Amino acid sequence: MARGKKAAKELLPEEKLQQALVPVEEQPYPIPENWCWTRAGNLSSLHRGVSYKKADAHATKEKDDCLIMRGGNIGEGYIVTDVDNVYVNKSLVDESQFVRQNDIIIVASTGSTKVIGRAGISTRDYEDVSFGAFLMLVRPVGQSSPKYLDFFFQSDDYRTRMRNLASGVNINNIRGHYITDMPIPFPPLPEQHRIVNRIESLFAKLDEAKEKAQAVVDGFELRKSAILHKAFTGELTERWRKEHGVGLESWKRCTVGSICNDVKVGIVIRPSQYYTDKNEGTPAFRSANVREYKIDDFDWVYLNEDGMVNNKRSIVHTGDVLVVRSGNPGTACVVSEKFDGYNAIDILIAVPNQELILSNYLCLFTNSPLGKQSVTEGKRGMALAHFNVKGYSKVQLNVPPISEQEKIIHTLNESLDKEQQAKEAASTVLSQIDTMKKAILARAFRGELGTNDPAEEWAGELLKKTL
């Protein structure tokens, strides 16, 4: 055994290089001729996290303490040291376990398959930051670019491999040799720098686009609220009134109860006693079927004949406004012709007087910030966020003449549709950006970014120096 170790130490540089190269049959995909395939362990050293007893850890830092990073401190390509904080005395930490600049920290144990293998790089040396036993640290060695290695650990090829190799019942675990044995494409050093610069340049542009798209998504509710507020305070149709010679005094302050023929509630006492199967029953609305301005046509419950006969008052008809009373009170939709004759369970049913108020106007108001505020102020049973008939009937709103209601409905639908389309487009951009980043990384490690110089020295010579 001793002779074997000695023989290994006496390997010539060329022999060490041959051992470090990945055999052709094990190479995942083709790369440029002046690149080579090696193992991640040849470009880095692997370090295990700090093991400590629960009694040794505390949430606030004391003298001679060290922060122990955990899974929550590791982002996609970065680390943070101001969340998920646990501290232990520095005496429990080995010198090699303090985080240094360019160290790459990997989530090695977690309950989430999405998080397993996540890696973040440190941008500076730390004297009082280490990492826990559920993490592993990869420390770049030799003359290769740490950022090149960091980007490799962000690639989809690496993350997919870790997800496939991870094992465990409730906790996913990756072993150290999964990291050190992983094949990695290794280009000449100048090409590594060019690849890093190219990735950073492309990512910066994508991040700028992502920031703008995220602002559109984040601002959607605010813009929507502003539009609705203008609608029900008269600002939205101010120009229309001038054109038609109508003043704001034409608006009337009313309660929901005074402009509806009826405000009632669906079945609240043991509705399940009437349940039957789809083939024999009539569908009944529940809160899950009522969304803002629309009906979710799925997951219905069905009432038998006795349920329909004994609960005729809760049967809904075209033009009725349905309002959620529990969970997310105030969410409203209008019953369309398709759902005429359905029943309702534990939701409010408003029957607008169409000569005074249009169904869509009442629905839009109820879903607006003004309507939701009125609902919140009028709900009963605060622990359950429960809203009742009396509370909704007392909600006050400004009601313009029918012709202006029609204008408001038309303008609101157009504006809200545009905002919804903008939000959906921005959301699509956000998902595409993540996909594009993965594609950029995949091309980078295949030599397909257009940065490679075939005349540069074969990367095996650089690897030999590293070994």
Side-chain angles (χ1 to χ4, degrees):
M1 187 71 178
R3 287 183 62 188
K5 286 186 177 181
K6 183 177 180 181
K9 290 180 180 179
E10 293 174 354
L11 285 175
L12 296 173
E14 290 294 337
E15 294 173 321
K16 290 182 180 179
L17 177 60
Q18 288 305 312
Q19 284 192 352
L21 294 174
V22 177
V24 174
E25 63 272 15
E26 296 180 31
Q27 296 175 9
Y29 48 80
I31 55 176
E33 290 185 2
N34 60 335
W35 294 26
C36 66
W37 279 100
T38 187
R39 310 281 181 186
N42 294 321
L43 307 177
S44 60
S45 58
L46 187 72
H47 301 266
R48 298 285 183 176
V50 178
S51 295
Y52 54 88
K53 296 179 181 178
K54 189 175 181 179
D56 294 326
H58 34 275
T60 56
K61 187 174 182 179
E62 300 175 2
K63 185 179 179 181
D64 296 326
D65 269 357
C66 176
L67 169 68
I68 302 296
M69 289 194 297
R70 299 185 291 176
N73 300 102
I74 312 303
E76 297 286 358
Y78 64 92
I79 64 172
V80 291
T81 57
D82 57 352
V83 297
D84 203 24
N85 291 350
V86 169
Y87 298 91
V88 302
N89 192 274
K90 288 182 181 179
S91 62
L92 298 175
V93 183
D94 184 80
E95 182 64 28
S96 66
Q97 293 174 318
F98 287 105
V99 178
R100 303 173 187 170
Q101 186 174 11
N102 295 325
D103 283 348
I104 299 166
I105 304 171
I106 296 172
V107 178
S109 296
T110 176
S112 171
T113 55
K114 292 182 179 180
V115 176
I116 192 71
R118 177 183 288 175
I121 191 169
S122 170
T123 57
R124 66 183 182 90
D125 292 334
Y126 291 92
E127 296 180 356
D128 58 353
V129 175
S130 187
F131 57 103
F134 282 10
L135 306 177
M136 288 190 292
L137 183 146
V138 171
R139 182 164 291 151
V141 298
Q143 300 181 38
S144 57
S145 165
K147 280 298 296 181
Y148 177 84
L149 198 61
D150 169 47
F151 278 128
F152 176 77
F153 283 116
Q154 294 181 48
S155 71
D156 212 35
D157 287 338
Y158 155 75
R159 291 295 291 276
T160 299
R161 185 180 180 92
M162 291 304 107
R163 282 192 290 268
N164 291 338
L165 289 173
S167 59
V169 179
N170 296 318
I171 299 293
N172 300 287
N173 300 288
I174 54 177
R175 299 178 181 179
H177 72 86
Y178 297 166
I179 304 292
T180 55
D181 290 349
M182 182 165 184
I184 177 172
F186 190 62
L189 187 57
E191 171 64 356
Q192 292 182 38
H193 293 317
R194 289 192 295 268
I195 288 173
V196 168
N197 291 337
R198 184 65 173 152
I199 292 173
E200 289 179 337
S201 174
L202 292 171
F203 276 21
K205 293 176 182 178
L206 289 174
D207 287 340
E208 183 180 354
K210 183 176 183 178
E211 185 177 345
K212 292 178 180 178
Q214 191 64 57
V216 172
V217 173
D218 293 342
F220 171 73
E221 290 298 332
L222 187 61
R223 293 191 303 275
K224 182 174 125 181
S225 296
I227 294 170
L228 289 167
H229 185 271
K230 289 180 180 180
F232 298 106
T233 56
E235 186 178 349
L236 188 67
T237 46
E238 183 177 2
R239 183 175 177 180
W240 181 90
R241 285 196 303 276
K242 288 181 180 180
E243 293 173 351
H244 289 76
V246 179
L248 196 57
E249 68 276 2
S250 62
W251 289 43
K252 306 298 181 185
R253 188 69 173 169
C254 306
T255 63
V256 170
S258 68
I259 52 176
C260 287
N261 293 327
D262 197 1
V263 179
K264 50 192 177 180
V265 68
I267 305 169
V268 293
I269 300 175
R270 293 179 56 221
S272 59
Q273 66 182 304
Y274 303 115
Y275 287 0
T276 185
D277 60 43
K278 179 178 180 179
N279 296 325
E280 297 181 5
T282 300
F285 280 91
R286 295 179 297 172
S287 295
N289 303 110
V290 179
R291 296 290 181 261
E292 285 192 355
Y293 317 115
K294 65 180 183 179
I295 294 168
D296 270 354
D297 189 8
F298 75 99
D299 195 26
W300 298 97
V301 295
Y302 297 86
L303 305 185
N304 58 27
E305 186 175 351
D306 285 345
M308 295 298 291
V309 171
N310 295 336
N311 297 281
K312 291 181 180 179
R313 182 163 166 72
S314 56
I315 295 175
V316 303
H317 300 285
T318 304
D320 288 352
V321 177
L322 306 183
V323 185
V324 173
R325 64 192 298 260
S326 298
N328 190 18
T331 301
C333 69
V334 177
V335 177
S336 58
E337 187 176 352
K338 175 181 178 180
F339 304 97
D340 188 277
Y342 282 31
N343 215 302
I345 296 172
D346 197 27
I347 52 180
L348 297 177
I349 307 163
V351 183
N353 181 338
Q354 299 294 329
E355 296 181 358
L356 300 176
I357 188 167
L358 300 176
S359 299
N360 285 321
Y361 184 88
L362 179 58
C363 177
L364 285 164
F365 170 79
T366 305
N367 284 316
S368 73
L370 289 174
K372 290 290 180 69
Q373 182 181 352
S374 299
V375 167
T376 302
E377 291 171 352
K379 67 187 178 185
R380 298 293 181 266
M382 295 297 290
L384 294 175
H386 211 71
F387 187 53
N388 59 27
V389 169
K390 186 177 180 181
Y392 189 51
S393 297
K394 288 184 176 181
V395 168
Q396 294 187 347
L397 70 159
N398 296 319
V399 182
I402 293 296
S403 58
E404 191 168 354
Q405 290 183 41
E406 291 173 342
K407 177 63 177 177
I408 289 172
I409 292 168
H410 176 74
T411 305
L412 272 181
N413 286 337
E414 279 191 342
S415 299
L416 294 178
D417 283 347
K418 287 180 181 178
E419 290 296 336
Q420 183 64 37
Q421 289 170 12
K423 178 187 177 184
E424 291 174 358
S427 298
T428 300
V429 168
L430 290 175
S431 63
Q432 288 175 339
I433 285 173
D434 291 337
T435 301
M436 290 172 70
K437 283 189 172 183
K438 290 179 181 179
I440 289 169
L441 291 175
R443 292 180 61 193
F445 297 107
R446 285 164 172 79
E448 297 175 356
L449 289 183
T451 56
N452 189 55
D453 181 358
E456 286 177 344
E457 183 180 53
W458 178 52
E461 297 301 323
L462 176 63
L463 180 58
K464 189 192 302 183
K465 296 175 183 178
T466 300
L467 295 172

